[in-house]
Structures are given as structure tokens and as C-alpha cells.
Amino acid sequence: DTGVSQNPRHKITKRGQNVTFRCDPISEHNRLYWYRQTLGQGPEFLTYFQNEAQLEKSRLLSDRFSAERPKGSFSTLEIQRTEQGDSAMYLCASSLSNLGTGGQPQHFGDGTRLSIL
Amino acid sequence: SQKIEQNSEALNIQEGKTATLTCNYTNYSPAYLQWYRQDPGRGPVFLLLIRENEKEKRKERLKVTFDTTLKQSLFHITASQPADSATYLCALPLTGTASKLTFGTGTRLQVTL
């Protein structure tokens, strides 16, 4: 079990630039999630995939954000025309599908910390 | 509106004592609840999941209770150690059995010698 891997670990960019983050989930996990976390807060749900299908996006997610999981394996999260308010830790997690009414543990990567100058 | 509350003040306890952290929620009827540990600069690490039909779950020095009437979960660490110092997050599915989770703000635990 190599765990969830995220790249890059840190990204510093100027306002208005586009950025792309990558997440490699645990290989046997079919669900992949993106969260955003700011200082002193818990992770906030952004979107999730089951295999290659994007099943849900948070209403908080601006049109400048897009995520893909083209072959049901790794995923990318792109932010276009970055703004100061986008500065945060972007976390990826993966899990197996839920069994009935029960949940599954989510396994998180160590995130990409985005800083907008 | 839906809300999850964890004590935002840090909890300071002495090594060897039992730490008890609280998670309260309103306007939810979750089918399960999860607890995670997060160290600075790292992603959350899953600790325990408890389902609505379970009153208590244990794993080594950890114990979680889930009271759906009080809408509360308690997380206990017995015989606490300095290595247990971290932020502990509770998380619930946004709707009943959904996969996507809503997290509390976390409680920072500091265990001193």
C-alpha cells in the first residue's frame, strides 16, 4: 500500500495564473475526492469521482475549478485565473465504494499547499 | 442549517490520563461518523468509523461512542502519550449514507509529560 500521492507539495504562483495539481490514489480504490482546507478549519468537500465519472461538485466550487479523472486512476484539479482567496491546502482522498448504508474510510494524501502572491 | 461542532479550544492533558473529545452535530441524521487525526502540514489519517446502530467502537487505546439521540460522539484516548498530540477531526456524511464528508473544525490535543 503506497498510499495517496499528491504533487506538487507546494505551489506558489501569481494571481491570475492557472495551476494544476495531480493526485494518485490507492490503486484498488474506485472513489476519489478533492477537499480544500484553510488554516484552523476542517477539510471542505469540493468534488468526487467514482471511477472516471464525476458524481458531484460542491456548489461552492467556482467555474474556475475543474477536475478530471480520465482513466479512473489518477486525477487532476485545475484552477484557472487564480485569486488570493484560492490560497489553501488542496487535499485528495480515495476510498472503496460504500457498502450498503455504511461508509468507508477515506485515505488522504498530504496535500498541495497553494500560495497566491 | 447543518452544523458540526468540536471544541475549538486546545485540550491540554497530562501523559497517562484519558483525553475525551466531543463532536456535536445538528440537523443531520448520519448513518455513520468518522474520526481522523491530523498532524501539522499533513493530510488527515483515518482512525475509527462508527455506524448509527453501534453505541461504541474500540481500537487499541481509542474508543468512540455515538449517541444519535443526543446527536453527539465522544472520542477517548486512554493512557495518553505525547505522541498523541495532534488535531482530531470528526466527519459525517453530508446526507445519510453519502460518501462525501463534512468535517468539524477539529480539536487540538496537547499531551504533556
Side-chain angles (χ1 to χ4, degrees):
Chain A
D1 179 1
T2 56
V4 177
S5 176
Q6 291 189 246
N7 288 288
R9 289 297 315 279
H10 299 93
K11 180 71 178 178
I12 301 172
T13 192
K14 292 181 180 178
R15 188 179 52 169
Q17 297 295 304
N18 298 345
V19 293
T20 300
F21 311 139
R22 177 179 169 122
C23 171
D24 288 90
I26 293 172
S27 56
E28 59 266 30
H29 287 176
N30 55 355
R31 288 198 170 172
L32 185 148
Y33 312 80
W34 285 99
Y35 293 86
R36 176 172 61 194
Q37 186 175 26
T38 53
L39 200 60
Q41 301 298 313
E44 176 188 32
F45 171 79
L46 294 179
T47 187
Y48 89 99
F49 294 82
Q50 173 136 329
N51 301 313
E52 66 275 10
Q54 187 173 19
L55 295 189
E56 192 155 353
K57 286 175 64 171
S58 166
R59 277 177 248 168
L60 302 173
L61 206 60
S62 136
D63 289 345
R64 297 182 296 103
F65 288 70
S66 63
E68 292 183 341
R69 193 182 184 198
K71 295 183 180 177
S73 57
F74 74 92
S75 175
T76 57
L77 177 68
E78 181 183 17
I79 309 174
Q80 296 183 323
R81 305 181 302 282
T82 52
E83 301 173 356
Q84 292 280 354
D86 297 332
S87 294
M89 173 80 89
Y90 289 84
L91 293 162
C92 174
S94 68
S95 79
L96 298 169
S97 298
N98 282 2
L99 297 173
T101 58
Q104 290 284 350
Q106 295 189 13
H107 298 261
F108 284 80
D110 283 334
T112 294
R113 180 165 296 284
L114 175 64
S115 299
I116 307 296
L117 301 176
Chain B
S1 63
Q2 298 169 322
K3 190 187 284 189
I4 300 174
E5 290 182 336
Q6 293 186 256
N7 193 343
S8 57
E9 290 181 13
L11 178 63
N12 294 295
I13 65 164
Q14 205 171 19
E15 184 180 22
K17 303 291 186 185
T18 296
T20 299
L21 286 68
T22 305
C23 176
N24 295 298
Y25 58 93
T26 55
N27 298 320
Y28 277 99
S29 294
Y32 63 89
L33 183 149
Q34 301 185 16
W35 283 89
Y36 289 79
R37 167 186 174 139
Q38 188 171 27
D39 292 287
R42 307 294 300 274
V45 174
F46 170 78
L47 296 175
L48 282 167
L49 181 154
I50 186 166
R51 296 189 167 85
E52 61 181 341
N53 61 348
E54 298 173 316
K55 295 295 183 188
E56 182 179 298
K57 201 85 169 272
R58 290 175 186 263
K59 178 183 174 184
E60 298 172 355
R61 293 184 297 111
L62 308 179
K63 184 179 87 171
V64 173
T65 63
F66 192 12
D67 189 326
T68 56
T69 302
L70 290 179
K71 293 188 181 295
Q72 179 181 78
S73 175
L74 298 178
F75 177 80
H76 306 271
I77 306 175
T78 58
S80 57
Q81 304 166 359
D84 296 327
S85 299
T87 295
Y88 291 86
L89 300 156
C90 72
L92 295 83
L94 281 170
T95 58
T97 62
S99 288
K100 53 185 182 177
L101 297 174
T102 298
F103 284 82
T105 55
T107 298
R108 192 164 65 84
L109 173 66
Q110 185 71 41
V111 181
T112 54
L113 295 170

